[in-house]
Amino acid sequence: MTDILSLFPGEIEELIVSIGEKRFRASQVFSWLYKGVKSFSDMSNIPKELIAKLSESAQIKSISIEEKFVSQIDGTVKYLYRLDDGEMIETVFMRYKHGNTICLSTQAGCKMGCDFCASTINGFRRNLLPSEMLLQIMCCERDLAEKVSNIVLMGIGEPLDNYDNVVRFLRLVNNEKGLNIGMRHISLSTCGIADKIDRLAQENLPITLSVSLHASDQKKREEIMPVARKWSLEQLLASCRQYIKKTGRRISFEYALISGVNDSGEEADRLGKLLSGMLCHVNLIPVNPVKEKSFKKSEKSSIEVFTRTIEKYRISVTVRRRLGSDINASCGQLRANHSS
Ligand code: SAH
């Protein structure tokens, strides 16, 4: 069965022509899909015969809300969604001054194994389809009767480990007749799969790339992020420099500050040296505690010293504001609790 919501308009056209129907029906079908219909029979201006043929060869994926949490502090909403095969994923909706932002999952589970991350606790289950990334947005917009204007691929999973589906999703979500979300309003975060960063640089997608660094030397990075054993810090930064050169776009480096692990003044100084002169921004994130793990977030004073040290290298740096802290908005714990 073809997953029709993962198709581009031209591919829907091919499908419709291949089952012996008229080409112009494709744009009708495409717009119905984005109105959130659950079955072909809900497409009221499509002839019964075409509906029957489509139902035989294609399916419309769906997603349902298993649980929903609304922050009493800032209105952030967190969804635990159930996919058609029973897999669970998390999606977070945040209201910022610059617009409504959604944080999407790209995989059910994750195989990257970062030490401090809850998404990795029960291992990897499967890649999400482009349709399942679109549905996270459509279901949330419908539930809240609000539009999403910005997307961050920072939920469960490693986007560049699901490369083809993620890039297809980016092009679909950008389609004028679809959700029409501008590439410049989309950020993709990676733990640092260098060869995929090289590939992404060639795609001509003006999104923002975020790179999760979390350490300023190879040894420490290997200790907390297994991916560093495959792609060294040196290789990663070389790919980042290439990416900036090719796309002309600033990279955002994420650094989770973990007390006593990666938050010393010396490490800040090394980070400053490493990134000095690069077209980049550094996002410091006081680490969110994860129940299964024992690390703690850095003290306020260490965060301040860390920030000031990096600023000395004329690098722009911010400490991330935490939304939805009362609903555990920023980690993969809901899913972990559910599947354990
Ligand atoms: N796999 C991608 C995207 C998902 S995670 C990546 O690694 O970038 C989004 C960001 O949250 C990453 O920077 C990740 O390292 C960070 N993160 C994971 N667990 C965290 C925690 N407990 N506290 C703070 N940040 C965390």
Side-chain angles (χ1 to χ4, degrees), residues 56-235:
E56 271 168 32
S57 55
Q59 58 171 327
I60 306 173
K61 290 272 173 201
S62 65
I63 195 168
S64 61
I65 301 172
E66 180 78 7
E67 289 188 70
K68 175 183 171 184
F69 302 85
V70 182
S71 165
Q72 298 307 305
I73 303 171
D74 51 42
T76 295
V77 184
K78 179 164 186 167
Y79 295 97
L80 180 69
Y81 283 132
R82 176 189 288 272
L83 305 178
D84 278 344
D85 61 353
E87 287 297 338
M88 301 287 182
I89 53 165
E90 292 176 33
T91 303
V92 182
F93 173 89
M94 294 159 285
R95 293 186 186 88
Y96 286 108
K97 281 200 199 79
H98 62 267
N100 290 337
T101 302
I102 197 163
C103 177
L104 302 183
S105 293
T106 54
Q107 297 179 315
C110 186
K111 38 177 124 127
M112 298 299 131
C114 298
D115 206 28
F116 45 82
C117 181
S119 300
T120 211
I121 288 171
N122 291 316
F124 173 75
R125 300 283 301 177
R126 70 169 173 87
N127 282 329
L128 298 193
L129 300 163
S131 55
E132 290 169 326
M133 298 177 220
L134 291 169
L135 283 165
Q136 294 174 59
I137 307 173
M138 288 158 67
C139 186
C140 166
E141 285 188 338
R142 174 175 278 213
D143 181 57
L144 299 175
E146 280 187 69
K147 285 271 168 216
V148 163
S149 54
N150 300 274
I151 302 173
V152 296
L153 299 182
M154 295 190 181
I156 296 170
E158 167 49 44
L160 298 187
D161 186 45
N162 184 13
Y163 189 91
D164 292 339
N165 286 346
V166 164
V167 167
R168 176 175 276 266
F169 159 75
L170 293 173
R171 298 211 157 98
L172 278 171
V173 82
N174 184 236
N175 192 295
E176 304 189 306
K177 297 194 185 102
L179 296 180
N180 195 18
I181 297 178
M183 290 287 180
R184 286 170 205 277
H185 294 226
I186 304 178
S187 295
L188 181 154
S189 181
T190 177
C191 63
I193 304 181
D195 65 335
K196 296 289 167 48
I197 293 177
D198 297 342
R199 208 174 142 196
L200 191 65
Q202 308 298 323
E203 301 279 357
N204 210 6
L205 297 170
I207 56 170
T208 298
L209 179 66
S210 289
V211 174
S212 301
L213 220 45
H214 305 324
S216 57
D217 68 283
Q218 176 63 16
K219 188 166 170 287
K220 181 63 62 66
R221 200 159 184 271
E222 274 185 27
E223 279 170 26
I224 56 176
M225 300 179 77
V227 68
R229 287 180 217 142
K230 174 132 197 232
W231 300 106
S232 71
L233 189 55
E234 200 180 321
Q235 284 171 310

Side-chain angles (χ1 to χ4, degrees), residues 14-21 50 53-54 57:
E14 277 169 36
L15 174 73
I16 287 180
V17 170
S18 78
I19 53 181
E21 292 285 341
L50 175 54
K53 286 187 196 162
L54 280 173
S57 55

